Amino acid sequence: NAGVTQTPKFRILKIGQSMTLQCTQDMNHNYMYWYRQDPGMGLKLIYYSVGAGITDKGEVPNGYNVSRSTTEDFPLRLELAAPSQTSVYFCASSRSGGGVTEAFFGQGTRLTVV
Amino acid sequence: AQSVTQLDSHVSVSEGTPVLLRCNYSSSYSPSLFWYVQHPNKGLQLLLKYTSAATLVKGINGFEAEFKKSETSFHLTKPSAHMSDAAEYFCVVRPSWGGATNKLIFGTGTLLAVQP
């Protein structure tokens, strides 16, 4: 029962490089999210998706892009890495519909931009 | 706008003493509320969630939270702290109306230290 899987776990990037953070879930959840976590700031929403082909910006989308071609996958793209993007990134998913639906989180990707 | 405020950034308790982590939310309607725990260098794990079936919610590892609508609070408690409870705790709200129901809004977290 894998849940939400993120790769890589750690990465060091140089300023200006690009990379893709991978996220996949096997729970058939419609909703998927990308958050970044900075010390003392809680988690801030970068982008989210309510289903394949549908994405929308969260609170802090600048410098990032996403796509959602399948229900399972929700990659996050950094095009021109900047030191301000040094953070821990979490992918999450939840089911849609009524009721109290919690989110399930991956283990995180720790990114350092130098 | 809906928001959640965790009133303490750090809480330190002795092992065996009670734990209280405070959370207040702002919402025009009754939202869905959650507490998550994050151990060092780990992902987030759900502790408990408010489903509106009962105002006192029991979670894992002996934690409880009480929903008080009149105070717009959802404080997390545990009668007796254990060393393994040392972690960061997040209060989270999911709005219950409008286009924001698909988002989770996080508090800034409370770091719980447990002294031997």
Side-chain angles (χ1 to χ4, degrees), chain A:
Chain A
N1 205 6
V4 180
T5 303
Q6 290 183 238
T7 55
K9 287 187 170 54
F10 303 93
R11 183 73 185 266
I12 298 175
L13 277 184
K14 293 185 178 178
I15 294 171
Q17 285 185 321
S18 62
M19 76 164 294
T20 299
L21 282 66
Q22 302 290 347
C23 175
T24 188
Q25 52 93 8
D26 62 359
M27 297 173 281
N28 202 33
H29 286 165
N30 280 342
Y31 293 173
M32 294 189 74
Y33 313 84
W34 275 105
Y35 288 88
R36 59 176 287 171
Q37 183 181 28
D38 301 300
M41 303 294 289
L43 275 72
K44 299 293 185 185
L45 182 64
I46 305 171
Y47 271 95
Y48 67 100
S49 169
V50 299
I54 307 169
T55 62
D56 207 348
K57 296 177 181 179
E59 300 171 82
V60 289
N62 291 343
Y64 307 95
N65 278 300
V66 294
S67 59
R68 183 96 182 270
S69 56
T70 67
T71 298
E72 294 79 20
D73 300 306
F74 190 41
L76 177 72
R77 178 86 177 159
L78 282 71
E79 290 294 349
L80 290 170
S84 60
Q85 294 176 305
T86 293
S87 188
V88 182
Y89 292 84
F90 287 99
C91 179
S93 73
S94 69
R95 64 175 176 84
S96 56
V100 181
T101 54
E102 70 268 32
F104 295 82
F105 286 81
Q107 291 297 297
T109 296
R110 186 174 296 274
L111 175 68
T112 303
V113 181
V114 297

Side-chain angles (χ1 to χ4, degrees), chain B residues 51-63:
Chain B
T51 65
S52 77
T55 56
L56 183 62
V57 182
K58 293 186 184 300
I60 62 172
N61 301 334
F63 284 93

Side-chain angles (χ1 to χ4, degrees), chain B residues 75-94:
Chain B
H75 301 336
L76 182 71
T77 61
K78 183 173 181 178
S80 176
H82 192 271
M83 295 297 290
S84 60
D85 294 328
E88 190 157 24
Y89 293 79
F90 292 96
C91 184
V92 182
V93 61
R94 183 193 289 275

